[in-house]
């Protein structure tokens, strides 16, 4: 008697909570128990900007709970570690999350880890409730002065491995006023794709000018000793939803 393989066996593989996804807004479930996001941000926690080769990070001092995210869909306090962007080789694509089939030209990820339950970011990343990432879609519009302060420093971190001090950054000014969000359980969108992320995708996009976005593509994925290769794109394709439901904070 051969083993029968049913549909759910196919979903029993251990990679069914991958990110990013296409969010069908009409299928999102309004959850009245979702709280507003509570974002406490201390500008003195910003430390440096780093070129990692596939993207650049703005990194924060996460040795104590100074800049934290709580409430929203979360049951713990999460500590700010870094933020970074994903972009495409043209303004036609670049975001990781897709909304009703619409791709945006870029996406900001603000990465937090559960400092209430775990001792370190690396430890938290091994658990389903280890990380929380706020995803903010970027749309082409007027130049964004808050992004400009980051873009001015990209020349200091042009090649892979370069870093430059980056202090007193006002991350709060980067966020839209409207913090309504969609939330679902997913993964890191780069290797090792751990399924450890509570995703919180804001429903309001923020502007970036086409000229500013072009500056992202000027970053190099090569070190200063190699032949220069620009980071033209670094966004992962959308993944299957499987058994997940996306919840919305707004009816
Ligand atoms: C656990 C992964 C981590 C490196 N990766 C990340 O920090 C990261 C963070 C956010 C996202 S996204 N685009 O989803 O927001 C993708 C990746 C990481 C950190 C320390 C490590 N030591 C050994 C391995 C190792 C891996
Ligand atoms: Zn990311």
């Amino acid at each position: 008697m051969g083993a029968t393989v049913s549909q759910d066996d196919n979903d029993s593989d251990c990679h069914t909570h991958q990110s990013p996804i296409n969010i069908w807004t009409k299928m999102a479930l309004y959850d009245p128990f979702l709280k507003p996001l509570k974002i406490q941000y201390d500008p003195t926690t910003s430390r440096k900007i780093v070129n990692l080769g596939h993207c650049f990070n703005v990194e924060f001092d996460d040795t104590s709970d100074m800049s934290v995210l709580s409430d929203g869909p979360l049951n713990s306090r999460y500590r700010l570690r870094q933020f970074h962007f994903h972009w495409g080789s043209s303004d036609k694509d670049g975001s990781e999350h897709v909304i009703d089939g619409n791709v945006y030209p870029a996406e900001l990820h603000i990465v937090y880890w559960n400092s209430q339950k775990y001792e370190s970011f690396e430890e938290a990343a091994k658990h389903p409730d280890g990380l929380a990432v706020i995803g903010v879609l970027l749309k082409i519009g007027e130049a964004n002065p808050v992004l400009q302060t980051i873009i001015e420093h990209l020349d200091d971190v042009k090649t892979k491995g370069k870093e430059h001090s980056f202090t007193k950054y006002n991350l709060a000014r980067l966020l839209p006023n409207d913090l309504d969000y969609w939330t679902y359980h997913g993964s890191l969108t780069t290797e090792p794709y751990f399924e450890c992320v509570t995703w919180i995708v804001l429903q309001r996009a923020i502007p970036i000018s086409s000229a500013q976005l072009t500056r992202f593509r000027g970053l190099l994925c090569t070190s200063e000793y190699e032949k220069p290769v620009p980071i033209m794109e670094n966004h992962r394709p959308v993944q299957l939803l499987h058994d997940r439901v996306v919840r919305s904070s707004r009816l």
Side-chain angles (χ1 to χ4, degrees):
M1 172 70 172
T4 54
V5 178
S6 67
Q7 164 60 28
D8 64 327
D9 287 9
N10 296 330
D11 282 356
S12 64
D13 83 64
C14 55
H15 298 292
T16 60
H17 284 201
Q18 288 292 294
S19 294
I21 59 169
N22 186 337
I23 295 173
W24 295 106
T25 59
K26 298 279 184 293
M27 306 285 282
L29 184 68
Y30 168 62
D31 181 346
F33 296 101
L34 285 175
K35 298 178 187 161
L37 293 177
K38 185 177 179 192
I39 303 176
Q40 293 157 274
Y41 178 68
D42 175 348
T44 65
T45 53
S46 79
R47 285 290 174 275
K48 60 183 176 179
I49 186 168
V50 184
N51 180 333
L52 297 176
H54 58 279
C55 76
F56 66 92
N57 280 3
V58 171
E59 298 185 349
F60 292 80
D61 169 359
D62 66 348
T63 54
S64 74
D65 278 349
M66 288 189 283
S67 291
V68 293
L69 171 66
S70 53
D71 290 350
L74 306 169
N75 300 318
S76 299
R77 193 181 51 255
Y78 287 68
R79 189 180 292 176
L80 175 62
R81 178 170 175 93
Q82 51 106 329
F83 69 78
H84 61 272
F85 296 83
H86 298 265
W87 59 87
S89 50
S90 79
D91 293 357
K92 286 194 289 296
D93 69 357
S95 67
E96 298 211 302
H97 289 92
V98 174
I99 311 300
D100 291 333
N102 301 311
V103 184
Y104 286 73
E107 185 170 333
L108 161 64
H109 288 162
I110 311 172
V111 182
Y112 295 83
W113 58 276
N114 188 334
S115 57
Q116 195 167 321
K117 280 182 74 174
Y118 307 111
E119 289 305 305
S120 71
F121 171 81
E122 287 80 2
E123 176 56 30
K126 297 172 188 157
H127 303 272
D129 62 351
L131 302 192
V133 181
I134 297 178
V136 188
L137 295 157
L138 275 67
K139 62 185 178 186
I140 299 298
E142 67 280 2
N144 186 320
V146 189
L147 284 175
Q148 192 53 31
T149 51
I150 298 171
I151 288 165
E152 277 156 8
H153 284 77
L154 291 185
D155 285 345
D156 302 321
V157 293
K158 197 164 182 62
T159 51
K160 180 178 179 178
K162 295 275 282 199
E163 52 184 64
H164 192 276
S165 80
F166 192 73
T167 56
K168 293 192 286 298
Y169 184 70
N170 194 335
L171 176 63
R173 284 182 57 215
L174 195 51
L175 296 176
N177 298 325
D178 173 5
L179 293 180
D180 273 312
Y181 58 88
W182 295 290
T183 185
Y184 75 97
H185 186 258
S187 74
L188 300 173
T189 65
T190 59
E191 284 288 347
Y193 303 116
F194 290 161
E195 299 189 344
C196 62
V197 182
T198 298
W199 277 96
I200 298 167
V201 179
L202 298 190
Q203 298 181 2
R204 171 78 63 185
I206 62 170
I208 184 169
S209 70
S210 195
Q212 286 181 310
L213 193 47
T214 303
R215 299 288 301 276
F216 285 11
R217 300 185 197 103
L219 277 174
L220 302 180
C221 63
T222 43
S223 78
E224 58 193 310
Y225 310 107
E226 297 168 295
K227 180 175 166 297
V229 176
I231 308 175
M232 289 312 283
E233 58 186 347
N234 56 9
H235 56 100
R236 189 188 194 193
V238 292
Q239 306 294 306
L240 291 175
L241 190 61
H242 287 289
D243 63 342
R244 295 175 286 181
V245 168
V246 177
R247 289 179 291 153
S248 175
S249 70
R250 187 184 61 176
L251 192 55

